[in-house]
Amino acid sequence: MKIMNTINGKKEKQNNLFIINGSIIDAKARNIYKSDIIIERGLIKRIEKDIKADEVDKNIYKVIDAGNLIICPGFFDMHVHLRDPGFEDEEDIKSGINSAIRGGITSLACMPNTNPVIDMPFLVRYLKMNSYLNDYNIFPVAAITRNLEGENITEFGLLKEAGAAAFSDDGRGIQNSKLMYEIMKYAAQMDVLLILHEEDYTFSENGVVHEGYFSAAKGLEGISNLSEDIMIARDLILAKKTGARIHLTHLSSAAAIDYVRMAKNDNVNVTCDVTPEHFFFNDECIKDFNTNFKVKPPIRSENDRRSIIEGIKDGTVDAIASDHAPHIEAEKNISFNEAAFGSIGLETLFKASISKLHIEEKISLERIIELISSAPSKIMNAGENTVKTGQIANISIVDVNSIEKYTKEMIISKSRNSAFININLCGEVIYTIVNGCLRFINKNKSQGEDFS
Amino acid sequence: MELRNIISIDELNKEQILKIIESTIYFKEVLERDLKKVPALRGKTVVNLFYEPSTRTRTSFEIAAKRLSADVLNFAPSTSSLKKGETELDTIKTILAMKADLAVIRHKDSGFVKYISDNINIPVINGGDGRHSHPTQALLDLFTIYEHFKSMDKIEIAIVGDMLNSRVARSDILLFKQMGFSVFTVCPSMLLPEDMSYFGTENFNSIDDVIERCDVIYMLRMQFERQNRKLYPSVREYNRFFSLDISRFKKMKKGSILMHPGPVNRGIEIDGRILDMEEENMERIKISEQVSNGVAVRMSLLHYLLSQQ
């Protein structure tokens, strides 16, 4: 049995689409061109300039007027906490998917720190089954060590066969260097991707914010850059030695970016991502003790933030991922020390990236879209994610020019711990097409097209 | 060249190996007689010094010596005066003072057998030292292969399992390579030594990569309890990539054989049902044949070393 796809809650079949007047981003070739698109039974059938309206039967096709809008390959968020199974009060698969499509995200990788931890093949199958039932692209990430305990390696081979797209102990750093060496050797043998959360606990023990000017000023315990830098240096050495494919997630420090840049020049098989929070804000954000800025790794100094942006500009940073980490009110509306780490980000991934990197830093739209669509797709081995004939339509249609204050009321996710609340953000997702189905229409912003 | 000891395979040349194989043919014939005994070593004394528990190898040496009419003395360190302040060498010299003619030694430390043989003046056969060497196992394996294929040309062999902890694998690879076989290993990354260039073998990631092409599938004992920090994830993951199950057994090349140094961990490296089919599949499953050949090879070695004197 397959659950019907729904558009804004209404059951409708929407997989024959005629998109007119739009500009398509080719993230791979890094250019933008005007063209119309016909999607038939979910597949991109034609991409041509000025397809005549009378060629298309309006009884069968929904017409989308994408005038002044940009047609992007569907966004791929490679770092999401769906909280399912086990923490469904914070998020579940359905609410997570709804939040994602609101953000133009058509594929996501979900982290295994659930309850139970995703460390057995049947648990990976649970996620794959829900991916299918919801007709959404979920790429399960399985644990590297049993129960994320940093002791025993999980069944990489069997988990991969069950559908694990990558392996991560996200939320925990693997402290034992010899174990990490064995993990990398086995990852190389089984040809799997490791997504590494880099944290040396001896430096981060009781820390809650970046160790620096503001931790000193506000009397909060700091987490030194060294916590991340040391582990990244270690793992780049191990990756070079073993040939393992590693992806360093949510980089936060200037030195980390430098080490990755050096390692790439040294042909180490490494990629990395950063979150919008880490390039949008600096550690001054905690000066009012707003717990939505309590994330791990912490939001660091202006110097670190600048290095991350340089890394994005020069290609050292491969992808932007949200690290969407939903928490119930009770875990955030509490003293800074007691509050949980993490902020949600599926719905702001695109907007925050556009606002900071395109409008402010003048990075090209094509490059930004690459960072949130085709690049993560490639890292996750999920195929070429571009708008091309013959492919299943995973498309996000966006307005780059809109500007609006982001408010708590706009949030679709079950949790509301966003760092971007009350901030003016540019860009808006207008339509999201997942696996050929129109799954999201931004009612306020869509342009009166024919939906008869 | 005179051969005084059998310590490791690298000390044997091809000519000596062939001579041992040749005389093993003769001694195997002796074992098939009604009266399974020859007076070749009458009056000689062989001492078995086994510091590590062993039933199969020790018994095999004991029977081999007895079939050659030698006297056998079994020495087990737990019943000795090892803990009374004597060094291991002192103990051995005491036993040798009782006029033993040859010592078979097994010990948990690599290099121990060489150390003893350098300090005593009778021939020594290595019954297995640490992870280093088990030359009599390798020779009986070679004999088993030769006996089956009647030749040593163009043999392709895959050794499957734990290379890190296995002295059998090390000795087998060296011996087979010297005889010109193509030798592959199939081993999980955590159980493969960092640098295998001394052995010159190519490693595969799953038994499925070799099962249909090799003439010999040599399964090693997978000792989960011996693993350092229990690095390998699970038995079922091992089963999926490295074990011999019925369907893989059926995929084995025509005329190929299955070997194992014993004792088999049923359900771990080999599906127990395959072992139960051994009697109907004598041409393919050589595990019992290896044990029989072990006695003949050890007779051949005892005779070789003691008749030179």
Side-chain angles (χ1 to χ4, degrees):
Chain A
M1 190 194 72
K2 197 162 171 174
I3 293 171
M4 280 286 285
N5 297 300
T6 61
I7 300 168
N8 295 355
K10 264 189 293 175
K11 280 188 183 182
E12 274 178 75
K13 213 168 183 191
Q14 302 266 337
N15 51 13
N16 291 324
L17 303 168
F18 181 28
I19 307 168
I20 54 170
N21 302 330
S23 300
I24 302 174
I25 284 207
D26 186 340
K28 207 174 158 201
R30 300 230 184 128
N31 66 31
I32 303 182
Y33 61 100
K34 278 206 141 319
S35 196
D36 298 334
I37 301 177
I38 289 179
I39 295 166
E40 201 177 284
R41 294 182 177 187
L43 290 178
I44 301 176
K45 195 83 179 174
R46 285 168 70 186
I47 301 178
E48 277 166 46
K49 265 194 176 155
D50 305 321
I51 298 175
K52 298 268 182 304
D54 54 8
E55 286 179 56
V56 180
D57 182 349
K58 290 203 175 151
N59 294 322
I60 300 171
Y61 288 85
K62 304 284 172 198
V63 179
I64 294 174
D65 183 355
N68 297 320
L69 302 181
I70 306 286
I71 299 164
C72 310
F75 303 150
F76 192 129
D77 189 344
M78 64 181 294
H79 192 138
V80 176
H81 296 274
L82 283 181
R83 300 288 191 232
D84 188 342
F87 306 104
E88 291 86 350
D89 52 342
E90 297 176 330
E91 198 80 280
D92 61 32
I93 290 169
K94 275 207 162 65
S95 71
I97 289 172
N98 285 335
S99 176
I101 59 174
R102 174 65 185 83
I105 292 158
T106 60
S107 304
L108 62 82
C110 58
M111 289 298 161
N113 57 341
T114 50
N115 184 20
V117 167
I118 309 300
D119 60 3
M120 294 280 205
F122 80 93
L123 291 162
V124 172
R125 286 190 197 99
Y126 164 77
L127 293 165
K128 289 302 284 183
M129 185 186 74
N130 274 288
S131 174
Y132 173 77
L133 288 176
N134 291 289
D135 201 359
Y136 191 80
N137 305 303
I138 295 176
F139 292 81
V141 178
I144 292 173
T145 66
R146 289 254 158 134
N147 207 28
L148 307 176
E149 283 167 357
E151 284 174 14
N152 300 307
I153 303 175
T154 58
E155 299 156 321
F156 285 6
L158 296 175
L159 289 161
K160 181 185 178 186
E161 286 181 341
F167 291 78
S168 181
D169 272 6
D170 184 61
R172 303 267 188 97
I174 292 166
Q175 305 297 299
N176 182 316
S177 304
K178 173 64 161 60
L179 178 67
M180 187 51 115
Y181 173 60
E182 295 294 345
I183 287 165
M184 286 207 199
K185 280 199 295 175
Y186 198 47
Q189 179 168 46
M190 288 289 151
D191 189 23
V192 299
L193 173 70
L194 298 174
I195 299 178
L196 300 177
H197 167 114
E198 299 293 19
E199 179 180 356
D200 181 331
Y201 291 153
T202 57
F203 285 100
S204 65
E205 218 177 351
N206 299 313
V208 291
V209 294
H210 171 64
E211 182 167 270
Y213 182 90
F214 287 96
S215 68
K218 296 294 165 184
L220 290 170
E221 187 129 5
I223 298 174
S224 165
N225 282 28
L226 293 169
S227 174
E228 178 167 313
D229 299 346
I230 285 175
M231 285 312 207
I232 282 177
R234 179 197 74 176
D235 289 346
L236 290 170
I237 291 168
L238 293 175
K240 184 177 178 180
K241 174 92 179 155
T242 58
R245 203 153 51 91
I246 64 170
H247 176 86
L248 308 175
T249 191
H250 52 49
L251 293 192
S252 68
S253 93
I257 301 286
D258 288 342
Y259 293 156
V260 171
R261 187 180 292 120
M262 282 191 285
K264 284 184 164 185
N265 286 330
D266 198 16
N267 293 320
V268 177
N269 215 340
V270 61
T271 51
C272 68
D273 70 60
V274 296
T275 79
E277 284 84 343
H278 290 97
F279 63 67
F280 206 103
F281 305 106
N282 62 33
D283 58 345
E284 191 180 353
C285 64
I286 58 99
K287 69 180 192 300
D288 296 325
F289 300 97
N290 180 345
T291 58
N292 284 337
F293 292 109
K294 183 177 174 182
V295 295
K296 212 171 203 182
I299 293 166
R300 297 198 183 275
S301 72
E302 180 60 14
N303 175 52
D304 293 305
R305 191 185 77 84
R306 287 297 333 156
S307 290
I308 288 169
I309 288 179
E310 285 316 307
I312 291 170
K313 285 180 175 170
D314 74 8
T316 303
V317 173
D318 299 274
I320 299 170
S322 71
D323 194 1
H324 178 81
H327 286 290
I328 52 168
E329 189 77 9
E331 286 181 333
K332 279 296 193 180
N333 193 3
I334 193 171
S335 79
F336 204 95
N337 269 342
E338 294 293 318
F341 287 97
S343 67
I344 59 168
L346 287 167
E347 295 159 56
T348 47
L349 177 73
F350 166 73
K351 292 183 189 195
S353 300
I354 287 296
S355 306
K356 187 57 73 174
L357 301 177
H358 184 55
I359 308 294
E360 206 174 305
E361 296 290 338
K362 310 293 177 210
I363 298 173
S364 75
L365 197 56
E366 300 93 297
R367 168 67 178 145
I368 293 164
I369 298 305
E370 181 188 29
L371 285 161
I372 59 175
S373 64
S374 48
S377 176
K378 190 175 169 216
I379 294 166
M380 295 296 292
N381 243 336
E384 191 186 322
N385 181 11
T386 53
V387 181
K388 214 172 78 177
T389 50
Q391 291 200 331
I392 294 171
N394 281 298
I395 287 174
S396 315
I397 302 178
V398 298
D399 175 6
V400 178
N401 300 314
S402 83
I403 178 159
E404 192 176 25
K405 183 185 271 191
Y406 188 67
T407 63
K408 216 171 182 174
E409 290 65 43
M410 295 178 180
I411 295 172
I412 301 285
S413 165
K414 268 192 192 177
S415 295
R416 296 181 161 210
N417 52 310
S418 168
F420 294 99
I421 290 168
N422 294 330
I423 289 175
N424 284 322
L425 293 176
C426 301
E428 185 57 282
V429 176
I430 311 297
Y431 302 96
T432 308
I433 300 164
V434 183
N435 293 337
C437 288
L438 182 58
R439 295 283 290 273
F440 171 69
I441 304 168
N442 194 324
K443 286 249 164 88
N444 306 324
K445 308 258 171 69
S446 55
Q447 304 170 11
E449 63 285 352
D450 179 14
F451 269 102
S452 54
Chain B
M1 199 192 83
E2 194 194 322
L3 194 59
R4 183 176 158 80
N5 304 305
I6 307 284
I7 306 292
S8 74
I9 292 295
D10 359 30
E11 295 163 4
L12 297 174
N13 63 37
K14 202 164 177 176
E15 191 193 337
Q16 291 162 335
I17 293 163
L18 291 173
K19 206 168 155 191
I20 292 162
I21 295 295
E22 200 181 316
S23 74
T24 303
I25 299 169
Y26 166 74
F27 286 112
K28 179 141 193 202
E29 185 267 317
V30 169
L31 291 175
E32 274 148 22
R33 293 179 193 169
D34 251 4
L35 200 70
K36 303 175 184 61
K37 199 158 185 157
V38 288
L41 298 183
R42 192 160 58 190
K44 300 283 188 186
T45 301
V46 172
V47 58
N48 278 332
L49 302 170
F50 278 64
Y51 291 86
E52 223 182 33
S54 157
T55 310
R56 302 161 72 97
T57 307
R58 187 186 54 71
T59 311
S60 180
F61 269 108
E62 187 170 345
I63 293 173
K66 285 176 172 167
R67 299 279 189 245
L68 294 167
S69 307
D71 296 315
V72 181
L73 175 62
N74 284 316
F75 171 79
S78 55
T79 60
S80 78
S81 52
L82 257 183
K83 284 161 194 148
K84 294 179 187 166
E86 271 186 343
T87 67
E88 282 157 325
L89 193 59
D90 292 338
T91 317
I92 287 166
K93 283 189 169 165
T94 306
I95 292 164
L96 299 183
M98 299 169 196
K99 304 291 178 207
D101 297 291
L102 181 146
V104 179
I105 304 175
R106 167 174 287 195
H107 196 276
K108 66 172 176 37
D109 292 341
S110 302
F112 181 85
V113 178
K114 166 93 167 84
Y115 155 70
I116 295 297
S117 78
D118 286 345
N119 285 283
I120 62 178
N121 57 9
I122 59 166
V124 170
I125 297 178
N126 185 354
D129 64 326
R131 299 166 168 189
H132 170 231
S133 190
H134 195 355
T136 62
Q137 178 73 43
L139 288 162
L140 77 86
D141 290 337
L142 178 66
F143 180 78
T144 305
I145 292 167
Y146 172 71
E147 196 182 37
H148 176 82
F149 292 101
K150 309 277 187 290
S151 124
M152 297 205 217
D153 283 343
K154 293 180 184 143
I155 305 270
E156 278 198 348
I157 173 162
I159 301 181
V160 186
D162 178 354
M163 300 296 145
L164 197 62
N165 297 301
S166 177
R167 57 190 171 216
V168 173
R170 282 183 177 76
S171 295
D172 272 350
I173 294 169
L174 291 176
L175 185 60
F176 297 156
K177 280 267 178 181
Q178 195 171 77
M179 303 317 288
F181 298 3
S182 298
V183 187
F184 309 117
T185 62
V186 184
C187 178
S189 62
M190 49 286 269
L191 298 174
L192 186 68
E194 168 90 29
D195 183 349
M196 285 289 281
S197 58
Y198 180 70
F199 298 96
T201 49
E202 184 188 351
N203 190 58
F204 288 89
N205 296 335
S206 167
I207 188 171
D208 292 323
D209 300 333
V210 297
I211 194 76
E212 290 170 60
R213 68 181 277 191
C214 284
D215 303 295
V216 182
I217 300 293
Y218 196 109
M219 306 299 293
L220 294 171
R221 213 172 134 68
M222 176 61 183
Q223 286 163 297
F224 274 83
E225 71 282 2
R226 251 205 203 182
Q227 270 192 78
N228 192 14
R229 277 180 56 87
K230 295 194 166 53
L231 283 169
Y232 196 79
S234 69
V235 172
R236 66 179 182 188
E237 175 115 327
Y238 195 82
N239 286 159
R240 170 64 188 83
F241 296 98
F242 299 101
S243 304
L244 192 71
D245 57 23
I246 299 269
S247 79
R248 284 171 173 147
F249 179 70
K250 286 181 179 157
K251 280 188 199 150
M252 282 174 66
K253 185 178 167 183
K254 192 161 183 277
S256 66
I257 58 172
L258 166 64
M259 297 173 71
H260 188 291
V264 179
N265 288 304
R266 280 174 177 259
I268 297 185
E269 66 268 11
I270 300 181
D271 186 326
R273 288 172 294 177
I274 295 172
L275 302 177
D276 298 336
M277 302 178 339
E278 186 165 6
E279 268 182 49
E280 311 91 78
N281 288 280
M282 296 287 278
E283 269 305 293
R284 167 143 295 177
I285 306 174
K286 295 292 179 185
I287 299 171
S288 298
E289 195 65 32
Q290 285 171 274
V291 177
S292 308
N293 290 341
V295 177
V297 161
R298 288 170 179 124
M299 286 170 78
S300 168
L301 291 171
L302 290 169
H303 183 260
Y304 190 8
L305 295 182
L306 285 172
S307 64
Q308 285 175 2
Q309 295 176 328

